[in-house]
Amino acid sequence: MDEEEQNEADLKRRIWIESKKIWKVAFPATISKFFAFGTLVVTQSFIGHISGIDLAGYALVQSLIVRFINGILLGMSSATNTLCGQAFGAGQNHMMGIYLQRSWIIELITLTILLPIFIFGTRIYKLVGQEESVANSGGYISLWFIPFVYSYVFSLTIQVFLQAQLKNMIIAWLSAFHFAIHIPVSLLFVYTLNTGVAGAMIALSLSSWFLVISEFVYVFGGWCPHSWKGFKVSAFKDLMPAAKLSISSGVMLCLELWYYAILVLLAGYMEDAKTKISAISICLNINAWEFMISIGFLVAACVRVANELGSGNVKAIKFSIKVLLGTSMAIGVFFFVLCLAFGEKLAYAFTDDDRVADTVSDLSLLLAFTIFLNGIYSVLSGVAIGAGIQGVVSIINLVCFYVIGIPLGGLLGYLTTLKVKGIWVGMIFGVLTQIITVGYITWRTDWDGQVKKASERLERFYLHSEENPEQISNES
């Protein structure tokens, strides 16, 4: 074998090894996000067959408020991923439980501050100009979402805590049980007990808290002996620096996740708002199903970059980013084709209204492009989270999405005959500018400098282990 063939074989072997590391994180993360989102979609399906108005109300709450809160909490949880991932790579396992407890404190306070958004939902929807019937339904449903979103604080943070230390399959199994329980519980409350919309929302909260309790049992029950040392008073130390990182992470992901939800809001000002809101919500849900895979790669990028930064391996970081982007783009092409082929048929899983299904079919090309771009910017976002540069990407997201994308979409939607399509085209352009900008920053990043910054960050937060103050054992 000549030198060229040897190098090619060596490259294939390295890609295979890195791919196994990526999928070890991405696959369980995808499964868990898939089932977590599946519970929301199942609930939407039940409500959609109860009432068209309630379907629009649920779509409004889920697409605007819940997506906003989910973005904040998911982003803040990603800060835990940054700290735990780098701590695991550096062998500071005992600090991971402290980071987890700090995230609970910070996120519970944050969510409680944001609670009036749910309590005054009806007034908010009317204030932004939504139809009265849809606003009233959305306000009622938003109250039922309160116990559900509180479960997010614990489920999201525990999941990133486990992912950072490569305990991935337990997350997938618990999420599968969560989804499996949700369906019969929904059938019980909606059809057997005939409790309608309220029953569907009760079932959503019950199944979500089942997941949280299961995660508590795993963490507290001794399956994380090196990273969970019990509740510590030290969790209340350094809250402000941790909160700063959490908030920047929350803003970054919230700006991404809430971006397409603006479509629902702007569609509410157009003629036949109920049909357009329902159709766009269905498109966003189809997009979100595939986005679960993209989130899996976001998590994988975050874990791989954070772990390698913690261990100081710059070459591994660069190679991992290349493999992540290549794999994610290939998956995006597959779903692009699939979406074009089956877009209209998928709509009937959510509605019986032919007008809504036809509107979904008309939007399928734009949906396909959105799905393709998901994988690219998710990987780049994961790299940013793993490196701890969320603040920079937050500013980029704000400019590209809300200064460029939405205004351009508004111009195309309201000043041309494109209507909803025009809004979506403008927003896709915003995503493209974000990908180009963040991609350039990733390419130009001084990773040796990032290794130094990660070391300084871990040193600033570091507390000696009570069991062994001199040495830190790494968990295999």
Side-chain angles (χ1 to χ4, degrees):
M1 182 181 296
D2 59 30
E3 184 178 351
E4 184 177 347
E5 291 176 339
Q6 179 64 40
N7 290 337
E8 183 178 350
D10 182 59
L11 177 61
K12 289 180 179 179
R13 182 183 64 82
R14 290 173 61 206
I15 292 174
W16 174 248
I17 293 172
E18 181 60 35
S19 295
K20 287 196 296 184
K21 292 179 180 179
I22 290 169
W23 280 107
K24 185 178 180 180
V25 179
F27 180 72
T30 298
I31 294 298
S32 65
K33 300 302 179 186
F34 181 89
F35 284 124
F37 182 73
T39 60
L40 289 171
V41 175
V42 166
T43 301
Q44 181 179 34
S45 183
F46 274 100
I47 291 176
H49 290 91
I50 293 171
S51 163
I53 292 293
D54 288 324
L55 174 62
Y58 181 91
L60 194 65
V61 179
Q62 183 192 347
S63 300
L64 295 180
I65 291 183
V66 175
R67 189 181 292 265
F68 170 73
I69 296 296
N70 184 32
I72 290 289
L73 295 180
L74 182 61
M76 295 181 80
S77 300
S78 71
T80 309
N81 213 337
T82 302
L83 294 172
C84 286
Q86 292 180 3
F88 183 80
Q92 298 179 5
N93 293 28
H94 69 285
M95 287 297 300
M96 298 174 71
I98 296 174
Y99 294 146
L100 176 62
Q101 292 167 60
R102 283 177 186 165
S103 69
W104 289 343
I105 297 167
I106 294 168
E107 292 189 29
L108 283 171
I109 293 172
T110 302
L111 181 56
T112 302
I113 292 172
L114 296 173
L115 207 57
I117 297 176
F118 291 92
I119 296 173
F120 300 106
T122 299
R123 295 181 184 180
I124 293 173
Y125 303 138
K126 289 181 179 179
L127 186 64
V128 296
Q130 296 299 311
E131 291 182 3
E132 184 173 357
S133 59
V134 175
N136 288 333
S137 174
Y140 172 74
I141 290 172
S142 66
L143 294 174
W144 285 105
F145 263 113
I146 292 175
F148 169 77
V149 294
Y150 267 100
S151 72
Y152 263 15
V153 170
F154 300 101
S155 63
L156 292 176
T157 50
I158 293 175
Q159 284 175 17
V160 299
F161 166 76
L162 295 173
Q163 287 162 352
Q165 52 192 308
L166 306 181
K167 295 180 180 292
N168 303 294
M169 285 311 299
I170 184 62
I171 300 170
W173 282 112
L174 292 179
S175 298
F177 283 125
H178 166 215
F179 183 76
I181 287 173
H182 180 63
I183 296 174
V185 172
S186 296
L187 288 169
L188 172 65
F189 277 93
V190 175
Y191 293 114
T192 304
L193 299 179
N194 197 28
T195 52
V197 173
M201 297 305 299
I202 291 171
L204 179 65
S205 293
L206 287 176
S207 60
S208 297
W209 277 100
F210 167 82
L211 175 62
V212 173
I213 293 170
S214 300
E215 291 171 342
F216 280 155
V217 169
Y218 184 83
V219 174
F220 300 162
W223 284 276
C224 301
H226 300 285
S227 55
W228 179 260
K229 304 293 185 179
F231 292 97
K232 303 292 183 183
V233 176
S234 53
F236 290 90
K237 297 179 180 179
D238 297 317
L239 282 179
M240 290 308 297
K244 182 179 179 181
L245 183 61
S246 295
I247 291 170
S248 62
S249 299
V251 170
M252 189 194 87
L253 279 188
C254 183
L255 290 173
E256 293 181 9
L257 295 178
W258 208 44
Y259 183 50
Y260 283 110
I262 300 297
L263 271 170
V264 178
L265 182 64
L266 295 180
Y269 300 123
M270 294 184 171
E271 296 178 1
D272 195 14
K274 191 182 85 170
T275 299
K276 288 183 171 63
I277 288 175
S278 297
I280 291 173
S281 176
I282 289 171
C283 285
L284 291 179
N285 277 324
I286 294 171
N287 174 58
W289 278 110
E290 190 280 334
F291 192 60
M292 298 305 104
I293 299 176
S294 299
I295 290 228
F297 276 85
L298 184 153
V299 172
C302 177
V303 171
R304 290 291 301 125
V305 170
N307 286 170
E308 297 300 345
L309 274 177
S311 60
N313 194 340
V314 172
K315 289 184 178 180
I317 294 170
K318 294 179 179 179
F319 187 72
S320 181
I321 293 172
K322 293 176 183 177
V323 177
L324 280 159
L325 283 171
T327 307
S328 189
M329 289 176 67
I331 293 172
V333 170
F334 172 77
F335 281 102
F336 179 93
V337 176
L338 204 63
C339 182
L340 291 180
F342 298 103
E344 181 178 7
K345 294 180 181 178
L346 289 173
Y348 285 104
F350 302 94
T351 182
D352 298 321
D353 191 327
D354 290 334
R355 292 183 305 166
V356 174
D358 290 341
T359 305
V360 172
S361 177
D362 196 38
L363 296 170
S364 60
L365 178 60
L366 295 175
L367 176 62
F369 274 110
T370 301
I371 286 174
F372 172 73
L373 295 176
N374 281 347
I376 303 175
Y377 83 75
S378 293
V379 168
L380 294 175
S381 295
V383 172
I385 293 169
I389 57 173
Q390 296 95 320
V392 175
V393 180
S394 295
I395 297 172
I396 293 170
N397 287 349
L398 180 63
V399 174
C400 293
F401 294 162
Y402 296 88
V403 177
I404 297 175
I406 291 175
L408 179 60
L411 291 174
L412 293 175
Y414 288 96
L415 299 182
T416 71
T417 58
L418 291 173
K419 303 299 180 184
V420 173
K421 285 184 179 179
I423 299 172
W424 206 333
V425 168
M427 297 177 80
I428 287 176
F429 183 79
V431 173
L432 284 172
T433 58
Q434 190 261 11
I435 288 173
I436 293 170
T437 307
V438 179
Y440 177 77
I441 289 175
T442 302
W443 176 54
R444 298 290 296 173
T445 293
D446 175 12
W447 289 107
D448 289 309
Q450 290 301 321
V451 168
K452 182 179 179 181
K453 289 180 180 178
S455 177
E456 292 173 351
R457 182 186 298 115
L458 292 174
E459 184 178 350
R460 183 170 67 251
F461 287 127
Y462 180 74
L463 297 170
H464 285 295
S465 170
E466 294 177 2
E467 294 182 358
N468 192 342
E470 299 299 328
Q471 296 179 353
I472 307 166
S473 63
N474 197 355
E475 183 179 19
S476 61

